[in-house]
Amino acid sequence: VSDPKFLGYVVLNFSTEYIAKRLFEQKVSFILFTLGLSLAILALTYSFLEKQVINPIRKLMQASLDIADGRFTRLQSRSRFQIGSGEDEIDKLTTNFNFMVDKIEHSLNMIRGLSEASQAIVKCMNISESIQIYEKYLKDLILNKNRYYFNARF
């Protein structure tokens, strides 16, 4: 190993323009990459929300309009990406909506059955026939819980 010797000095002269240009290009590239990545994340988030939240709410809105028109539409459980316990607010809302549809349909069928029984009783000539019709309505109601229509014909 030899001792270093001083031989002279070197003067380097260079322009910083090239470095500034490269830094600017890298900044632009980074900004464009970040913007593209942000748009991709936004699109994926929107797609997820569309499928998991917006579409089920739209179906619920349409089903409620169907009920207003007299069509008792029940909603199907959705196939979805499982997060956590497996039942979220949309699932609970769907279950409650279907329960409400069943209750409304049950009430309407009860009203129809009572109306038919009342019309049959009004047409009766004697009290024993009226009692028979009413008993038949109650039997139909008890025996056929899913069918609340009354048939007054013997």
Side-chain angles (χ1 to χ4, degrees):
V1 176
S2 64
D3 292 331
K5 296 180 184 174
F6 179 73
L7 297 174
Y9 63 93
V10 175
V11 176
L12 295 175
N13 187 8
F14 61 91
S15 171
T16 58
E17 233 177 79
Y18 175 75
I19 295 174
K21 182 179 176 185
R22 290 292 296 152
L23 282 174
F24 179 75
E25 289 172 357
Q26 286 183 350
K27 284 180 188 177
V28 169
S29 295
F30 179 74
I31 289 171
L32 290 176
F33 174 75
T34 304
L35 183 63
L37 185 63
S38 297
L39 289 176
I41 290 171
L42 182 65
L44 289 173
T45 302
Y46 177 78
S47 174
F48 178 79
L49 289 175
E50 177 82 20
K51 182 179 178 196
Q52 298 298 319
V53 177
I54 297 171
N55 283 342
I57 291 174
R58 284 183 184 150
K59 288 178 183 176
L60 184 63
M61 286 174 25
Q62 183 58 49
S64 65
L65 292 174
D66 289 347
I67 289 172
D69 287 338
R71 295 183 307 272
F72 294 96
T73 306
R74 283 166 188 77
L75 297 174
Q76 297 295 322
S77 294
R78 59 197 171 113
S79 59
R80 60 185 175 75
F81 181 71
Q82 293 285 334
I83 299 175
S85 66
E87 187 170 285
D88 61 10
E89 284 74 17
I90 299 291
D91 292 327
K92 291 175 186 174
L93 185 61
T94 300
T95 301
N96 290 342
F97 180 84
N98 289 336
F99 181 72
M100 179 192 71
V101 168
D102 290 341
K103 287 295 192 179
I104 291 172
E105 196 169 32
H106 168 76
S107 296
L108 284 176
N109 288 333
M110 290 285 291
I111 291 169
R112 286 183 190 124
L114 281 171
S115 175
E116 290 176 16
S118 298
Q119 289 173 6
I121 289 171
V122 167
K123 293 177 184 176
C124 290
M125 296 297 178
N126 61 39
I127 197 78
S128 65
E129 191 178 345
S130 298
I131 292 172
Q132 286 177 339
I133 291 172
Y134 187 68
E135 285 175 350
K136 182 169 180 0
Y137 168 73
L138 291 177
K139 280 183 195 173
D140 282 350
L141 183 63
I142 292 168
L143 295 176
N144 302 310
K145 292 183 179 181
N146 293 328
R147 193 187 118 249
Y148 297 100
Y149 295 106
F150 176 73
N151 185 358
R153 293 171 188 80
F154 297 129

